Amino acid sequence: MSLALDGLLAISLVVLALQVVTGASLFRSIVMFVVFGLVMALVWARLRAPNLALAEAAIGAGVSGALLMLGYRRLRAAGPEATRPGPRSSRLAAPLSLLVAGLVASLGWTALGLPEALGAAGAAVVAAMPSQAVANPVTAVLLVFRGYDTLLELAVLLVALAGARAVEGPAGPADLAIPTMTGLPIVGALLAALVPLSVLVAGYLLHAGGNAPGGAFQGGAVLAAAGVLLVLTGRLVPHPVPGPVERWGAVLGLLVFSALGLVMLARGQGMLSMPGAWSIYLVESAMLVSIATTLVLLLGAAPGLRRGPLP
Amino acid sequence: MNFIQVAATILLVLGGFFYFAGTVGLLRFPDVHSRLHALTKADNLGLGLVCLAMALLGGSWRGAAMLLVIWLLGLLAASVSCHLVAQAALEPAAEPPTPRGDP
């Protein structure tokens, strides 16, 4: 039974991936990409990687899907030519992809045959877990064992935001036309239910990250989803000047994380070492705010956001 | 198989039937509004029956409460998006949505 399920998932992934790259229209490809992300999340869950499944569903399917949809809406506004898919692939495409598939298959086959590496990091982490302040090994790896990597990931997010600003130039892309339907009372009711709920779920994911799947990245993506909803329905509108909330929100994670790291260095302990569970939750909360702010600003394609004309 | 398992199996089969019928309706019905009609049946009843079956099988009040929240969220999202799609299809200026996506 489970073998049949796994086989079905594997076949769906390949078929969906083919649909994404060979779709007759851009819109269809985007929808297929979102479905691909959801099936991928199921695959991660089947592989017993719930953290990855959550991140894939929230970021891979949700946020990337919204980003692609927004891009599609802007392209459509530019005219019918802009949304036409590019020219068909060349004659070399099929032999090249077969070659790559063969390469991947032989690499995978070789990797399966290799003996398990001695002193692999996974075993060391599991052995060191009882002495840690948090029970979730993934959170421990992200903040305790490899805190430096996570700090740099936050820096990468900030650089991505700055890069998007630089590419867009001062004017930025044209404003999105907000459909008049977003003024309907039913949309207001949906937002009134969903926005507080996503704040709650983001907080829950952050808290659960201590001893179960979850954490700042998943929580930040859920919080960003609420922000994206507000942008899409015209409750928040892009603004050329970032306000204090956007400025501080974007750098808060980096600021808190590096400040804590420096304080620990000054106190004679290792840089970025975590003095306890409270510090892990503090850094994660700041990271959550930064991740959500960065994602919403990237999706809004604007340096700042203000309250919109809609109630 | 005890009573709960039998009841859950029946609920799962029923839920699966609603999903199947909804999908067939979505593919076969002629216009937007009848397609929405078919789709919301799958979303509302199918999801509700599957959630109920899983709550029975899960055997904990906490899990059952979470499944109830999931069902309610599904209902909320389905009804609002159904309303908006129906509204968009009624507006004369709007382009008719084509099943292939791009006009």
Side-chain angles (χ1 to χ4, degrees):
Chain A
M1 184 57 209
S2 66
L3 190 68
L5 185 63
D6 290 343
L8 196 65
L9 281 175
I11 293 170
S12 328
L13 263 191
V14 175
V15 171
L16 283 168
L18 271 176
Q19 292 275 329
V20 171
V21 290
T22 62
S25 74
L26 272 184
F27 183 79
R28 203 180 155 86
S29 290
I30 295 171
V31 173
M32 287 298 167
F33 180 78
V34 172
V35 181
F36 177 84
L38 289 176
V39 177
M40 194 68 218
L42 280 181
V43 170
W44 284 125
R46 288 285 303 162
L47 290 171
R48 294 194 210 154
N51 277 288
L52 274 177
L54 273 174
E56 176 68 40
I59 300 173
V63 176
S64 315
L67 196 59
L68 290 171
M69 265 315 176
L70 277 173
Y72 178 77
R73 246 164 83 174
R74 288 188 202 278
L75 277 178
R76 255 180 78 127
E81 277 302 310
T83 55
R84 202 154 289 163
R88 286 281 137 199
S89 45
S90 78
R91 213 171 297 154
L92 282 176
L96 267 181
S97 46
L98 280 178
L99 192 72
V100 171
L103 200 64
V104 170
S106 59
L107 273 178
W109 187 250
T110 319
L112 278 181
L114 286 179
E116 203 169 326
L118 286 172
V125 166
V126 172
M129 273 319 285
S131 63
Q132 296 303 319
V134 288
N136 180 9
V138 177
T139 304
V141 168
L142 281 179
L143 286 170
V144 181
F145 300 122
R146 311 285 303 176
Y148 204 59
D149 291 1
T150 311
L151 183 67
L152 288 182
E153 272 169 29
L154 281 181
V156 166
L157 261 183
L158 196 63
V159 171
L161 187 63
R165 284 289 80 71
V167 171
E168 276 166 14
D175 277 348
L176 277 179
I178 305 293
T180 50
M181 274 191 297
T182 52
L184 290 177
I186 193 171
V187 177
L190 178 80
L191 289 176
L194 279 191
V195 172
L197 196 68
S198 45
V199 175
L200 184 73
V201 171
Y204 169 75
L205 281 172
L206 182 77
H207 174 73
N211 47 25
F217 284 94
Q218 289 90 343
V222 170
L223 197 59
V228 171
L229 258 184
L230 290 173
V231 171
L232 285 180
T233 53
R235 266 66 175 176
L236 287 175
V237 288
H239 194 273
V241 183
V245 177
E246 294 94 299
R247 282 182 204 275
W248 284 103
V251 296
L252 190 68
L254 206 57
L255 218 59
V256 170
F257 206 162
S258 24
L260 188 79
L262 287 176
V263 167
M264 293 315 285
L265 188 67
R267 293 182 55 184
Q269 289 161 35
M271 188 169 132
L272 295 179
S273 63
M274 291 284 152
W278 65 269
S279 60
I280 293 180
Y281 281 117
L282 178 73
V283 170
E284 287 242 300
S285 310
M287 278 169 61
L288 180 135
V289 171
S290 281
I291 291 165
T293 312
T294 309
L295 287 177
V296 174
L297 288 179
L298 280 175
L299 281 154
L305 294 165
R306 293 288 188 278
R307 286 189 79 133
L310 286 164
Chain B
M1 247 175 136
N2 56 19
F3 171 71
I4 286 190
Q5 283 172 330
V6 174
T9 312
I10 293 173
L11 286 172
L12 275 178
V13 169
L14 265 178
F17 168 76
F18 272 104
Y19 270 113
F20 180 73
T23 311
V24 170
L26 180 69
L27 292 175
R28 303 296 303 172
F29 279 172
D31 62 275
V32 176
H33 293 97
S34 27
R35 280 190 195 143
L36 280 176
H37 165 78
L39 193 61
T40 43
K41 296 300 154 297
D43 271 354
N44 298 349
L45 266 170
L47 183 64
L49 290 168
V50 170
C51 281
L52 195 59
M54 287 198 289
L56 281 179
L57 286 178
S60 82
W61 286 106
R62 191 168 177 267
M66 282 170 129
L67 283 165
L68 179 70
V69 173
I70 289 173
W71 182 52
L72 287 178
L73 276 177
L75 279 188
L76 186 70
S79 46
V80 172
S81 49
C82 169
H83 183 84
L84 291 181
V85 172
Q87 195 85 30
L90 278 182
E91 270 179 26
E95 305 158 46
T98 52
R100 289 266 152 203
D102 271 355

